[in-house]
Amino acid sequence: MGALLTIDAAIDAVLSAVAPLPAETVALLDALGRAAGDDIVSAEQVPSFDNSAMDGYALRGEELRAGLRTFRVTVEIPAGRHVATPVEPGAAAKIMTGAPLPPGVDTVVPVELTSQAGDQLTIHEAVEPGANVRRAGEDVAVGDVVMPRGAWLGPAEIGLLASVGADAVPVARRPRVAILATGSELVPAGEPVGPGQIRNSNSYTAYGQVLGAGAEPALLGIARDDLDETRRLIAAALEHDVVLTSGGVSVGEFDFVKQVQEELGVVRGFWGVATKPGKPLAFGVRGRTLVFGVPGNPVAAMVSFELYIRPALLALQGRRDLYRPYVAAASAEPVERTKERTEARRCRLERRDGGWVFTTTGPQGSGILRSMALADGLAFIPAGHPGSRAGGSFTVLLLDGSSEERPPYP
Ligand code: AMP
Ligand code: MG
């Protein structure tokens, strides 16, 4: 396997192979959960006209300032009505929240500070000139970049785009990810498990992880540990933007994945990362296709995805928040020693005495998915850690959310 890469070196190698995918235009609602494919510029201003921020009376601020406290109410303006006739000096318009200010007035006195009898308005408490008016263009001006290229479009972002009249928006094309499980022992869900066989779970976890990274999974099934079958299915997988195979990348006699990748023209980036789990990760490229062979053990496969594949899928979409957020946390329990590899341990985080502490979620064998399902974080214990009592300070990756800052991996 040669020299094992550090986590950082492996991430750098993967990201340097990424070229962002082209943009496509989709209807606004279809852009939800995707990344802006270009800077999105507003063609409209928000608000589009001066309007009242309160239910109240619109009048001239200078008249209030000069001491005038009684006004004649000459017009009533509900939201949605445009009044073109100017309000005369000494007069006021009764106005509702969001209604356009008529010409001549610049200030709104909230209804709570007034009383009205017939058309006679009395102001009990003055406000500053200009108060309670939302100015045209004060939120967004025409030509403002409302969404920079690469921004993730969530509910607020889609709402903002709707507010400036965007009905079709550029988004990055979703990376198409071929998911292939390898192993003659694997049985798909729904079929009986014979002696010596196990269920395929990696295709399921990968499917979820790929979707969670805004990409499009394509399930290519299971390749038996047979050279021809592996070749046929990896060849089909190479028609995608990203290939994600699991299993068959170790040093076993039937581990054909690396050999087949290379036969099919995949240029090796690296094979082997100094982490536990996840050591035999094989990465390469063919043309613009990124090719990942993650280890077969279910937790190793998931951790490899989190550390290397997720950032790549986000970078393909032009995203800049490639990483999971992290915290520095103390261990709530004694920390077992590590050997020559950095260990990512499944854990749960909690707040204690104003700081973060983590507790591992049980046995850390790289096949034990249950401790992954129970976890909300991965605690990184550096290589060569001698073991320690509870406490200390470790980088803990959160298994949710996104951040532009790469965690400080040991
Ligand atoms: P491998 O990396 O192919 O040597 O596989 C390592 C371990 O992971 C073996 O115990 C496999 O049975 C198991 N494994 C491989 N692929 C899968 C899969 N798709 N789902 C669940 N377990 C798997
Ligand atoms: Mg195998």
Side-chain angles (χ1 to χ4, degrees):
M1 200 168 290
L4 302 180
L5 267 60
T6 62
I7 298 175
D8 279 315
I11 295 173
D12 289 340
V14 167
L15 292 182
S16 70
V18 170
L21 295 171
E24 59 192 16
T25 299
V26 299
L28 182 59
L29 283 177
D30 293 328
L32 191 63
R34 301 185 63 171
D38 203 348
D39 285 350
I40 303 177
V41 170
S42 180
E44 298 178 1
Q45 60 175 358
V46 181
S48 55
F49 47 83
D50 293 349
N51 68 90
S52 177
M54 306 284 264
D55 293 328
Y57 296 88
L59 41 72
R60 285 176 168 70
E62 73 201 32
E63 292 178 339
L64 271 187
R65 176 168 280 171
L68 194 62
R69 291 292 178 270
T70 55
F71 294 78
R72 194 163 41 86
V73 178
T74 53
V75 62
E76 189 171 319
I77 311 175
R81 179 186 304 163
H82 173 73
V83 172
T85 319
V87 177
E88 283 165 18
K94 186 167 191 190
I95 195 164
M96 308 305 150
T97 305
L101 244 62
V105 294
D106 55 15
T107 302
V108 172
V109 182
V111 69
E112 297 87 334
L113 306 183
T114 66
S115 54
Q116 186 181 347
D119 65 358
Q120 281 300 302
L121 170 70
T122 305
I123 306 293
H124 303 298
E125 200 181 307
V127 298
E128 288 299 309
N132 304 312
V133 174
R134 300 189 284 224
R135 293 275 166 216
E138 90 182 3
D139 297 339
V140 180
V142 173
D144 275 1
V145 174
V146 279
M147 215 43 70
R149 179 188 159 86
W152 180 75
L153 304 178
E157 291 79 5
I158 295 292
L160 175 60
L161 290 169
S163 77
V164 299
D167 60 348
V169 295
V171 292
R173 184 161 72 66
R174 289 186 191 278
R176 293 193 266 267
V177 183
I179 297 171
L180 178 66
T182 75
S184 298
E185 73 279 27
L186 299 176
V187 176
E191 286 182 21
V193 188
Q197 297 186 312
I198 64 159
R199 294 204 178 277
N200 168 21
S201 58
N202 288 347
S203 295
Y204 295 81
T205 51
Y207 188 92
Q209 288 182 305
V210 166
L211 271 186
E216 196 177 285
L219 289 172
L220 268 51
I222 298 168
R224 280 174 291 137
D225 294 319
D226 166 273
L227 205 46
D228 288 338
E229 183 164 314
T230 307
R231 197 182 288 120
R232 184 171 59 78
L233 284 165
I234 291 186
L238 282 164
E239 300 304 313
H240 298 71
D241 300 308
V242 177
V243 176
L244 201 181
T245 63
S246 68
V249 284
S250 207
V251 291
E253 195 159 339
F254 298 100
D255 289 341
F256 294 134
V257 167
K258 272 184 63 245
Q259 176 190 337
V260 165
Q261 287 177 355
E262 284 155 24
E263 278 175 27
L264 293 171
V266 173
V267 178
R268 176 74 41 233
F270 60 82
W271 179 39
V273 188
T275 52
K276 185 179 175 184
K279 172 169 133 182
L281 174 70
F283 171 69
V285 294
R286 194 185 75 168
R288 296 197 134 196
T289 299
L290 308 177
V291 184
F292 296 91
V294 303
N297 270 308
V299 178
M302 288 195 77
V303 169
S304 300
F305 185 96
E306 277 292 336
L307 295 183
Y308 314 106
I309 304 177
R310 185 175 178 277
L313 296 183
L314 298 178
L316 281 169
Q317 297 167 76
R319 295 261 300 260
R320 296 189 328 176
D321 51 339
L322 305 182
Y323 304 104
R324 293 296 197 187
Y326 71 92
V327 295
S331 178
E333 60 201 0
V335 179
E336 275 179 44
R337 74 191 186 100
T338 59
K339 295 183 185 165
E340 64 281 0
R341 288 184 281 153
T342 292
E343 295 194 22
R345 294 186 180 155
R346 286 88 85 188
C347 66
R348 283 203 77 81
L349 279 162
E350 63 185 300
R351 293 290 288 175
R352 240 183 243 176
D353 305 326
W356 288 106
V357 296
F358 69 90
T359 310
T360 52
T361 52
Q364 296 287 313
S366 60
I368 305 173
L369 256 191
R370 184 166 206 176
S371 53
M372 193 72 189
L374 292 170
D376 58 13
L378 292 174
F380 286 84
I381 317 298
H385 184 76
S388 56
R389 282 192 256 229
S393 176
F394 299 88
T395 297
V396 179
L397 197 75
L398 276 53
L399 292 171
D400 198 13
S402 279
S403 165
E404 289 189 20
E405 186 191 352
R406 189 188 295 185
Y409 294 115

PDB file of all heavy atoms in Angstrom, residues 180-183 185-186 196 198-205 222 225 246-252 254-255 280 294-298 366-367 369, ligand 1:
ATOM      1  N   LEU A 180     -21.782   1.209  -6.396  1.00  0.00           N
ATOM      2  CA  LEU A 180     -21.608  -0.215  -6.691  1.00  0.00           C
ATOM      3  C   LEU A 180     -21.028  -0.903  -5.463  1.00  0.00           C
ATOM      4  O   LEU A 180     -19.981  -0.501  -4.959  1.00  0.00           O
ATOM      5  CB  LEU A 180     -20.656  -0.379  -7.891  1.00  0.00           C
ATOM      6  CG  LEU A 180     -20.327  -1.810  -8.312  1.00  0.00           C
ATOM      7  CD1 LEU A 180     -21.582  -2.519  -8.837  1.00  0.00           C
ATOM      8  CD2 LEU A 180     -19.231  -1.810  -9.375  1.00  0.00           C
ATOM      9  N   ALA A 181     -21.726  -1.941  -4.995  1.00  0.00           N
ATOM     10  CA  ALA A 181     -21.189  -2.753  -3.899  1.00  0.00           C
ATOM     11  C   ALA A 181     -20.451  -3.929  -4.512  1.00  0.00           C
ATOM     12  O   ALA A 181     -20.895  -4.484  -5.520  1.00  0.00           O
ATOM     13  CB  ALA A 181     -22.331  -3.245  -3.007  1.00  0.00           C
ATOM     14  N   THR A 182     -19.309  -4.283  -3.937  1.00  0.00           N
ATOM     15  CA  THR A 182     -18.620  -5.480  -4.425  1.00  0.00           C
ATOM     16  C   THR A 182     -18.502  -6.494  -3.295  1.00  0.00           C
ATOM     17  O   THR A 182     -18.310  -6.131  -2.139  1.00  0.00           O
ATOM     18  CB  THR A 182     -17.202  -5.178  -4.955  1.00  0.00           C
ATOM     19  OG1 THR A 182     -16.327  -4.941  -3.845  1.00  0.00           O
ATOM     20  CG2 THR A 182     -17.191  -3.963  -5.867  1.00  0.00           C
ATOM     21  N   GLY A 183     -18.629  -7.745  -3.639  1.00  0.00           N
ATOM     22  CA  GLY A 183     -18.474  -8.815  -2.660  1.00  0.00           C
ATOM     23  C   GLY A 183     -19.405  -9.971  -2.972  1.00  0.00           C
ATOM     24  O   GLY A 183     -20.617  -9.775  -3.068  1.00  0.00           O
ATOM     25  N   GLU A 185     -20.227 -12.242  -1.103  1.00  0.00           N
ATOM     26  CA  GLU A 185     -21.027 -12.616   0.070  1.00  0.00           C
ATOM     27  C   GLU A 185     -22.300 -11.782   0.206  1.00  0.00           C
ATOM     28  O   GLU A 185     -23.126 -12.040   1.063  1.00  0.00           O
ATOM     29  CB  GLU A 185     -20.170 -12.454   1.339  1.00  0.00           C
ATOM     30  CG  GLU A 185     -19.886 -11.015   1.795  1.00  0.00           C
ATOM     31  CD  GLU A 185     -18.752 -10.305   1.043  1.00  0.00           C
ATOM     32  OE1 GLU A 185     -18.504 -10.651  -0.133  1.00  0.00           O
ATOM     33  OE2 GLU A 185     -18.138  -9.394   1.619  1.00  0.00           O
ATOM     34  N   LEU A 186     -22.469 -10.779  -0.660  1.00  0.00           N
ATOM     35  CA  LEU A 186     -23.537  -9.800  -0.428  1.00  0.00           C
ATOM     36  C   LEU A 186     -24.873 -10.234  -1.006  1.00  0.00           C
ATOM     37  O   LEU A 186     -24.946 -10.746  -2.125  1.00  0.00           O
ATOM     38  CB  LEU A 186     -23.153  -8.446  -1.025  1.00  0.00           C
ATOM     39  CG  LEU A 186     -21.888  -7.820  -0.445  1.00  0.00           C
ATOM     40  CD1 LEU A 186     -21.548  -6.527  -1.185  1.00  0.00           C
ATOM     41  CD2 LEU A 186     -22.048  -7.559   1.049  1.00  0.00           C
ATOM     42  N   GLY A 196     -23.024 -18.062   5.204  1.00  0.00           N
ATOM     43  CA  GLY A 196     -21.841 -17.301   4.825  1.00  0.00           C
ATOM     44  C   GLY A 196     -22.136 -16.004   4.095  1.00  0.00           C
ATOM     45  O   GLY A 196     -21.215 -15.289   3.718  1.00  0.00           O
ATOM     46  N   ILE A 198     -23.983 -12.144   3.730  1.00  0.00           N
ATOM     47  CA  ILE A 198     -24.427 -11.013   4.561  1.00  0.00           C
ATOM     48  C   ILE A 198     -25.223 -10.056   3.686  1.00  0.00           C
ATOM     49  O   ILE A 198     -25.169 -10.116   2.457  1.00  0.00           O
ATOM     50  CB  ILE A 198     -23.251 -10.259   5.214  1.00  0.00           C
ATOM     51  CG1 ILE A 198     -22.368  -9.621   4.138  1.00  0.00           C
ATOM     52  CG2 ILE A 198     -22.424 -11.170   6.106  1.00  0.00           C
ATOM     53  CD1 ILE A 198     -21.540  -8.484   4.675  1.00  0.00           C
ATOM     54  N   ARG A 199     -25.921  -9.188   4.353  1.00  0.00           N
ATOM     55  CA  ARG A 199     -26.732  -8.222   3.613  1.00  0.00           C
ATOM     56  C   ARG A 199     -25.886  -7.047   3.148  1.00  0.00           C
ATOM     57  O   ARG A 199     -24.968  -6.629   3.836  1.00  0.00           O
ATOM     58  CB  ARG A 199     -27.869  -7.718   4.492  1.00  0.00           C
ATOM     59  CG  ARG A 199     -28.860  -8.792   4.827  1.00  0.00           C
ATOM     60  CD  ARG A 199     -30.209  -8.211   5.157  1.00  0.00           C
ATOM     61  NE  ARG A 199     -31.166  -9.286   5.429  1.00  0.00           N
ATOM     62  CZ  ARG A 199     -31.819  -9.938   4.467  1.00  0.00           C
ATOM     63  NH1 ARG A 199     -31.628  -9.632   3.194  1.00  0.00           N
ATOM     64  NH2 ARG A 199     -32.665 -10.900   4.773  1.00  0.00           N
ATOM     65  N   ASN A 200     -26.214  -6.553   1.971  1.00  0.00           N
ATOM     66  CA  ASN A 200     -25.601  -5.334   1.464  1.00  0.00           C
ATOM     67  C   ASN A 200     -26.204  -4.144   2.200  1.00  0.00           C
ATOM     68  O   ASN A 200     -27.387  -3.858   2.073  1.00  0.00           O
ATOM     69  CB  ASN A 200     -25.895  -5.227  -0.041  1.00  0.00           C
ATOM     70  CG  ASN A 200     -25.542  -3.865  -0.599  1.00  0.00           C
ATOM     71  OD1 ASN A 200     -24.747  -3.134  -0.013  1.00  0.00           O
ATOM     72  ND2 ASN A 200     -26.126  -3.529  -1.741  1.00  0.00           N
ATOM     73  N   SER A 201     -25.416  -3.459   3.006  1.00  0.00           N
ATOM     74  CA  SER A 201     -25.924  -2.214   3.600  1.00  0.00           C
ATOM     75  C   SER A 201     -25.227  -0.988   3.004  1.00  0.00           C
ATOM     76  O   SER A 201     -25.771   0.110   3.017  1.00  0.00           O
ATOM     77  CB  SER A 201     -25.759  -2.230   5.128  1.00  0.00           C
ATOM     78  OG  SER A 201     -24.399  -2.411   5.484  1.00  0.00           O
ATOM     79  N   ASN A 202     -24.033  -1.179   2.450  1.00  0.00           N
ATOM     80  CA  ASN A 202     -23.288  -0.010   1.959  1.00  0.00           C
ATOM     81  C   ASN A 202     -24.018   0.762   0.869  1.00  0.00           C
ATOM     82  O   ASN A 202     -23.940   1.992   0.809  1.00  0.00           O
ATOM     83  CB  ASN A 202     -21.922  -0.434   1.424  1.00  0.00           C
ATOM     84  CG  ASN A 202     -20.970  -0.843   2.539  1.00  0.00           C
ATOM     85  OD1 ASN A 202     -21.243  -0.587   3.705  1.00  0.00           O
ATOM     86  ND2 ASN A 202     -19.868  -1.478   2.182  1.00  0.00           N
ATOM     87  N   SER A 203     -24.737   0.043   0.012  1.00  0.00           N
ATOM     88  CA  SER A 203     -25.434   0.762  -1.058  1.00  0.00           C
ATOM     89  C   SER A 203     -26.491   1.693  -0.473  1.00  0.00           C
ATOM     90  O   SER A 203     -26.770   2.751  -1.032  1.00  0.00           O
ATOM     91  CB  SER A 203     -26.099  -0.225  -2.017  1.00  0.00           C
ATOM     92  OG  SER A 203     -25.095  -0.991  -2.671  1.00  0.00           O
ATOM     93  N   TYR A 204     -27.055   1.289   0.652  1.00  0.00           N
ATOM     94  CA  TYR A 204     -28.107   2.089   1.276  1.00  0.00           C
ATOM     95  C   TYR A 204     -27.530   3.311   1.975  1.00  0.00           C
ATOM     96  O   TYR A 204     -28.045   4.429   1.828  1.00  0.00           O
ATOM     97  CB  TYR A 204     -28.911   1.226   2.263  1.00  0.00           C
ATOM     98  CG  TYR A 204     -29.647   0.121   1.545  1.00  0.00           C
ATOM     99  CD1 TYR A 204     -28.997  -1.054   1.186  1.00  0.00           C
ATOM    100  CD2 TYR A 204     -30.969   0.276   1.173  1.00  0.00           C
ATOM    101  CE1 TYR A 204     -29.653  -2.055   0.481  1.00  0.00           C
ATOM    102  CE2 TYR A 204     -31.643  -0.713   0.470  1.00  0.00           C
ATOM    103  CZ  TYR A 204     -30.976  -1.883   0.129  1.00  0.00           C
ATOM    104  OH  TYR A 204     -31.631  -2.853  -0.565  1.00  0.00           O
ATOM    105  N   THR A 205     -26.470   3.100   2.746  1.00  0.00           N
ATOM    106  CA  THR A 205     -25.875   4.264   3.423  1.00  0.00           C
ATOM    107  C   THR A 205     -25.335   5.236   2.370  1.00  0.00           C
ATOM    108  O   THR A 205     -25.523   6.445   2.490  1.00  0.00           O
ATOM    109  CB  THR A 205     -24.754   3.840   4.379  1.00  0.00           C
ATOM    110  OG1 THR A 205     -23.842   2.989   3.700  1.00  0.00           O
ATOM    111  CG2 THR A 205     -25.300   3.110   5.585  1.00  0.00           C
ATOM    112  N   ILE A 222     -24.783  -5.078  -7.168  1.00  0.00           N
ATOM    113  CA  ILE A 222     -23.694  -5.780  -6.495  1.00  0.00           C
ATOM    114  C   ILE A 222     -22.828  -6.488  -7.545  1.00  0.00           C
ATOM    115  O   ILE A 222     -23.363  -7.164  -8.426  1.00  0.00           O
ATOM    116  CB  ILE A 222     -24.256  -6.838  -5.520  1.00  0.00           C
ATOM    117  CG1 ILE A 222     -25.097  -6.157  -4.423  1.00  0.00           C
ATOM    118  CG2 ILE A 222     -23.126  -7.679  -4.914  1.00  0.00           C
ATOM    119  CD1 ILE A 222     -25.915  -7.127  -3.589  1.00  0.00           C
ATOM    120  N   ASP A 225     -17.195 -11.007  -6.566  1.00  0.00           N
ATOM    121  CA  ASP A 225     -15.732 -10.906  -6.642  1.00  0.00           C
ATOM    122  C   ASP A 225     -15.228 -11.754  -7.800  1.00  0.00           C
ATOM    123  O   ASP A 225     -14.631 -12.812  -7.626  1.00  0.00           O
ATOM    124  CB  ASP A 225     -15.096 -11.361  -5.313  1.00  0.00           C
ATOM    125  CG  ASP A 225     -15.457 -10.420  -4.176  1.00  0.00           C
ATOM    126  OD1 ASP A 225     -15.452  -9.201  -4.381  1.00  0.00           O
ATOM    127  OD2 ASP A 225     -15.765 -10.924  -3.068  1.00  0.00           O
ATOM    128  N   SER A 246     -17.775   0.075  -3.070  1.00  0.00           N
ATOM    129  CA  SER A 246     -17.374  -0.308  -1.722  1.00  0.00           C
ATOM    130  C   SER A 246     -16.856  -1.733  -1.753  1.00  0.00           C
ATOM    131  O   SER A 246     -17.366  -2.579  -2.495  1.00  0.00           O
ATOM    132  CB  SER A 246     -18.538  -0.181  -0.731  1.00  0.00           C
ATOM    133  OG  SER A 246     -19.535  -1.137  -1.015  1.00  0.00           O
ATOM    134  N   GLY A 247     -15.831  -1.962  -0.945  1.00  0.00           N
ATOM    135  CA  GLY A 247     -15.251  -3.297  -0.822  1.00  0.00           C
ATOM    136  C   GLY A 247     -14.227  -3.563  -1.912  1.00  0.00           C
ATOM    137  O   GLY A 247     -14.090  -2.819  -2.898  1.00  0.00           O
ATOM    138  N   GLY A 248     -13.462  -4.612  -1.684  1.00  0.00           N
ATOM    139  CA  GLY A 248     -12.543  -5.077  -2.718  1.00  0.00           C
ATOM    140  C   GLY A 248     -11.343  -4.191  -2.978  1.00  0.00           C
ATOM    141  O   GLY A 248     -10.728  -4.293  -4.036  1.00  0.00           O
ATOM    142  N   VAL A 249     -11.000  -3.312  -2.043  1.00  0.00           N
ATOM    143  CA  VAL A 249      -9.827  -2.453  -2.261  1.00  0.00           C
ATOM    144  C   VAL A 249      -8.689  -2.769  -1.306  1.00  0.00           C
ATOM    145  O   VAL A 249      -7.711  -2.043  -1.214  1.00  0.00           O
ATOM    146  CB  VAL A 249     -10.146  -0.943  -2.118  1.00  0.00           C
ATOM    147  CG1 VAL A 249     -10.874  -0.438  -3.338  1.00  0.00           C
ATOM    148  CG2 VAL A 249     -10.895  -0.646  -0.836  1.00  0.00           C
ATOM    149  N   SER A 250      -8.858  -3.863  -0.549  1.00  0.00           N
ATOM    150  CA  SER A 250      -7.820  -4.205   0.416  1.00  0.00           C
ATOM    151  C   SER A 250      -6.783  -5.094  -0.273  1.00  0.00           C
ATOM    152  O   SER A 250      -6.630  -5.048  -1.487  1.00  0.00           O
ATOM    153  CB  SER A 250      -8.483  -4.883   1.620  1.00  0.00           C
ATOM    154  OG  SER A 250      -7.717  -4.675   2.764  1.00  0.00           O
ATOM    155  N   VAL A 251      -6.089  -5.905   0.492  1.00  0.00           N
ATOM    156  CA  VAL A 251      -5.008  -6.699  -0.096  1.00  0.00           C
ATOM    157  C   VAL A 251      -5.388  -8.177  -0.206  1.00  0.00           C
ATOM    158  O   VAL A 251      -4.531  -9.027  -0.376  1.00  0.00           O
ATOM    159  CB  VAL A 251      -3.701  -6.530   0.715  1.00  0.00           C
ATOM    160  CG1 VAL A 251      -3.165  -5.122   0.543  1.00  0.00           C
ATOM    161  CG2 VAL A 251      -3.935  -6.836   2.188  1.00  0.00           C
ATOM    162  N   GLY A 252      -6.689  -8.462  -0.136  1.00  0.00           N
ATOM    163  CA  GLY A 252      -7.145  -9.845  -0.245  1.00  0.00           C
ATOM    164  C   GLY A 252      -7.022 -10.366  -1.670  1.00  0.00           C
ATOM    165  O   GLY A 252      -6.915  -9.609  -2.630  1.00  0.00           O
ATOM    166  N   PHE A 254      -9.180 -11.644  -3.556  1.00  0.00           N
ATOM    167  CA  PHE A 254     -10.295 -11.363  -4.464  1.00  0.00           C
ATOM    168  C   PHE A 254     -10.627  -9.877  -4.498  1.00  0.00           C
ATOM    169  O   PHE A 254     -11.723  -9.480  -4.859  1.00  0.00           O
ATOM    170  CB  PHE A 254     -11.515 -12.198  -4.060  1.00  0.00           C
ATOM    171  CG  PHE A 254     -11.238 -13.667  -4.174  1.00  0.00           C
ATOM    172  CD1 PHE A 254     -10.929 -14.407  -3.040  1.00  0.00           C
ATOM    173  CD2 PHE A 254     -11.239 -14.290  -5.414  1.00  0.00           C
ATOM    174  CE1 PHE A 254     -10.642 -15.766  -3.146  1.00  0.00           C
ATOM    175  CE2 PHE A 254     -10.947 -15.646  -5.529  1.00  0.00           C
ATOM    176  CZ  PHE A 254     -10.646 -16.388  -4.391  1.00  0.00           C
ATOM    177  N   ASP A 255      -9.689  -9.057  -4.090  1.00  0.00           N
ATOM    178  CA  ASP A 255      -9.904  -7.613  -4.108  1.00  0.00           C
ATOM    179  C   ASP A 255      -9.479  -7.071  -5.472  1.00  0.00           C
ATOM    180  O   ASP A 255      -8.335  -6.715  -5.701  1.00  0.00           O
ATOM    181  CB  ASP A 255      -9.116  -6.941  -2.967  1.00  0.00           C
ATOM    182  CG  ASP A 255      -9.728  -7.262  -1.606  1.00  0.00           C
ATOM    183  OD1 ASP A 255     -10.912  -7.665  -1.572  1.00  0.00           O
ATOM    184  OD2 ASP A 255      -9.043  -7.098  -0.593  1.00  0.00           O
ATOM    185  N   PRO A 280      -7.819   1.513   3.540  1.00  0.00           N
ATOM    186  CA  PRO A 280      -7.497   1.159   2.146  1.00  0.00           C
ATOM    187  C   PRO A 280      -8.225   1.971   1.081  1.00  0.00           C
ATOM    188  O   PRO A 280      -8.353   1.525  -0.051  1.00  0.00           O
ATOM    189  CB  PRO A 280      -7.876  -0.328   2.069  1.00  0.00           C
ATOM    190  CG  PRO A 280      -8.870  -0.549   3.131  1.00  0.00           C
ATOM    191  CD  PRO A 280      -8.715   0.528   4.166  1.00  0.00           C
ATOM    192  N   VAL A 294     -14.102   2.775  -1.698  1.00  0.00           N
ATOM    193  CA  VAL A 294     -14.047   2.807  -0.235  1.00  0.00           C
ATOM    194  C   VAL A 294     -14.026   1.382   0.288  1.00  0.00           C
ATOM    195  O   VAL A 294     -14.491   0.451  -0.386  1.00  0.00           O
ATOM    196  CB  VAL A 294     -15.223   3.618   0.393  1.00  0.00           C
ATOM    197  CG1 VAL A 294     -15.241   5.039  -0.139  1.00  0.00           C
ATOM    198  CG2 VAL A 294     -16.561   2.931   0.184  1.00  0.00           C
ATOM    199  N   PRO A 295     -13.492   1.192   1.492  1.00  0.00           N
ATOM    200  CA  PRO A 295     -13.447  -0.156   2.062  1.00  0.00           C
ATOM    201  C   PRO A 295     -14.853  -0.709   2.283  1.00  0.00           C
ATOM    202  O   PRO A 295     -15.818   0.039   2.378  1.00  0.00           O
ATOM    203  CB  PRO A 295     -12.717   0.032   3.394  1.00  0.00           C
ATOM    204  CG  PRO A 295     -12.140   1.403   3.372  1.00  0.00           C
ATOM    205  CD  PRO A 295     -12.898   2.198   2.374  1.00  0.00           C
ATOM    206  N   GLY A 296     -14.942  -2.021   2.385  1.00  0.00           N
ATOM    207  CA  GLY A 296     -16.245  -2.653   2.491  1.00  0.00           C
ATOM    208  C   GLY A 296     -16.896  -2.556   3.853  1.00  0.00           C
ATOM    209  O   GLY A 296     -18.129  -2.561   3.964  1.00  0.00           O
ATOM    210  N   ASN A 297     -16.093  -2.450   4.874  1.00  0.00           N
ATOM    211  CA  ASN A 297     -16.716  -2.384   6.197  1.00  0.00           C
ATOM    212  C   ASN A 297     -17.634  -1.170   6.285  1.00  0.00           C
ATOM    213  O   ASN A 297     -17.240  -0.056   5.932  1.00  0.00           O
ATOM    214  CB  ASN A 297     -15.649  -2.305   7.279  1.00  0.00           C
ATOM    215  CG  ASN A 297     -15.242  -3.687   7.764  1.00  0.00           C
ATOM    216  OD1 ASN A 297     -16.100  -4.484   8.120  1.00  0.00           O
ATOM    217  ND2 ASN A 297     -13.946  -3.959   7.757  1.00  0.00           N
ATOM    218  N   PRO A 298     -18.859  -1.381   6.739  1.00  0.00           N
ATOM    219  CA  PRO A 298     -19.873  -0.322   6.637  1.00  0.00           C
ATOM    220  C   PRO A 298     -19.475   1.010   7.286  1.00  0.00           C
ATOM    221  O   PRO A 298     -19.762   2.069   6.729  1.00  0.00           O
ATOM    222  CB  PRO A 298     -21.088  -0.945   7.321  1.00  0.00           C
ATOM    223  CG  PRO A 298     -20.948  -2.403   7.003  1.00  0.00           C
ATOM    224  CD  PRO A 298     -19.470  -2.682   7.092  1.00  0.00           C
ATOM    225  N   SER A 366     -15.068  -1.588  12.779  1.00  0.00           N
ATOM    226  CA  SER A 366     -15.449  -0.814  11.591  1.00  0.00           C
ATOM    227  C   SER A 366     -16.628  -1.427  10.847  1.00  0.00           C
ATOM    228  O   SER A 366     -17.084  -0.896   9.843  1.00  0.00           O
ATOM    229  CB  SER A 366     -14.250  -0.640  10.666  1.00  0.00           C
ATOM    230  OG  SER A 366     -13.789  -1.906  10.256  1.00  0.00           O
ATOM    231  N   GLY A 367     -17.135  -2.550  11.367  1.00  0.00           N
ATOM    232  CA  GLY A 367     -18.336  -3.114  10.757  1.00  0.00           C
ATOM    233  C   GLY A 367     -19.599  -2.793  11.534  1.00  0.00           C
ATOM    234  O   GLY A 367     -20.697  -3.176  11.116  1.00  0.00           O
ATOM    235  N   LEU A 369     -22.375  -0.842  12.388  1.00  0.00           N
ATOM    236  CA  LEU A 369     -23.138   0.317  11.934  1.00  0.00           C
ATOM    237  C   LEU A 369     -23.976   0.928  13.042  1.00  0.00           C
ATOM    238  O   LEU A 369     -24.294   2.104  13.021  1.00  0.00           O
ATOM    239  CB  LEU A 369     -24.088  -0.111  10.820  1.00  0.00           C
ATOM    240  CG  LEU A 369     -23.719   0.268   9.389  1.00  0.00           C
ATOM    241  CD1 LEU A 369     -24.902  -0.015   8.482  1.00  0.00           C
ATOM    242  CD2 LEU A 369     -23.324   1.733   9.286  1.00  0.00           C
TER     243      LEU A 369
HETATM  244  P1  AMP B   1     -13.796  -5.841   1.870  1.00  0.00           P
HETATM  245  O1  AMP B   1     -13.363  -4.409   1.952  1.00  0.00           O
HETATM  246  O2  AMP B   1     -14.377  -6.204   0.545  1.00  0.00           O
HETATM  247  O3  AMP B   1     -12.674  -6.751   2.295  1.00  0.00           O
HETATM  248  O4  AMP B   1     -14.954  -6.025   2.943  1.00  0.00           O
HETATM  249  C1  AMP B   1     -14.707  -5.819   4.297  1.00  0.00           C
HETATM  250  C2  AMP B   1     -15.874  -6.261   5.115  1.00  0.00           C
HETATM  251  O5  AMP B   1     -16.989  -5.462   4.803  1.00  0.00           O
HETATM  252  C3  AMP B   1     -16.280  -7.702   4.898  1.00  0.00           C
HETATM  253  O6  AMP B   1     -16.653  -8.253   6.143  1.00  0.00           O
HETATM  254  C4  AMP B   1     -17.477  -7.562   3.995  1.00  0.00           C
HETATM  255  O7  AMP B   1     -18.355  -8.636   4.123  1.00  0.00           O
HETATM  256  C5  AMP B   1     -18.108  -6.279   4.458  1.00  0.00           C
HETATM  257  N1  AMP B   1     -18.840  -5.642   3.373  1.00  0.00           N
HETATM  258  C6  AMP B   1     -18.354  -5.431   2.137  1.00  0.00           C
HETATM  259  N2  AMP B   1     -19.260  -4.849   1.363  1.00  0.00           N
HETATM  260  C7  AMP B   1     -20.367  -4.674   2.130  1.00  0.00           C
HETATM  261  C8  AMP B   1     -21.654  -4.120   1.901  1.00  0.00           C
HETATM  262  N3  AMP B   1     -21.991  -3.630   0.702  1.00  0.00           N
HETATM  263  N4  AMP B   1     -22.530  -4.093   2.904  1.00  0.00           N
HETATM  264  C9  AMP B   1     -22.189  -4.603   4.117  1.00  0.00           C
HETATM  265  N5  AMP B   1     -21.001  -5.128   4.395  1.00  0.00           N
HETATM  266  C10 AMP B   1     -20.089  -5.178   3.422  1.00  0.00           C
END
